[in-house]
Amino acid sequence: MNSMSQEPILIMRRREVERRTGLSRSTIYERIRTGAFPAPISLGGKSVGWIEHEVNHWLAERIVLSRTRAGAGVERR
């Protein structure tokens, strides 16, 4: 971990990831399997969580891709 970083590392549990992304549990795990979504980290036992800034980065990439496609001739309503 970078000691220069001032931002705290925030962990999101699965339900929060589902809420923030709009993806279902099965879609999240399918995309993790294919490398298209950030993998969770182990919190011990059977608990896992996602690093918030990784999920936020993934969401930001989706927005850019969506806007890029929209600007490339995809009709927007």
Side-chain angles (χ1 to χ4, degrees):
M1 186 165 85
N2 184 350
S3 62
M4 299 288 286
S5 176
Q6 297 297 319
E7 294 184 40
I9 296 173
L10 300 175
I11 303 299
M12 299 168 59
R13 298 301 300 268
R14 192 194 82 241
R15 289 185 191 197
E16 176 66 10
V17 174
E18 290 173 11
R19 188 187 71 73
R20 295 268 295 271
T21 64
L23 300 175
S24 68
R25 177 184 176 184
S26 59
T27 300
I28 289 168
Y29 282 103
E30 174 62 23
R31 290 185 181 186
I32 290 168
R33 188 183 67 75
T34 63
F37 192 80
I41 61 167
S42 174
L43 300 175
K46 295 181 182 180
S47 297
V48 298
W50 282 259
I51 299 171
E52 183 182 47
H53 77 85
E54 292 179 358
V55 174
N56 287 341
H57 180 75
W58 181 88
L59 285 167
E61 287 178 335
R62 301 291 72 72
I63 292 168
V64 169
L65 287 173
S66 175
R67 300 298 187 246
T68 302
R69 288 184 193 136
V74 175
E75 185 177 327
R76 292 174 63 185
R77 295 179 187 218

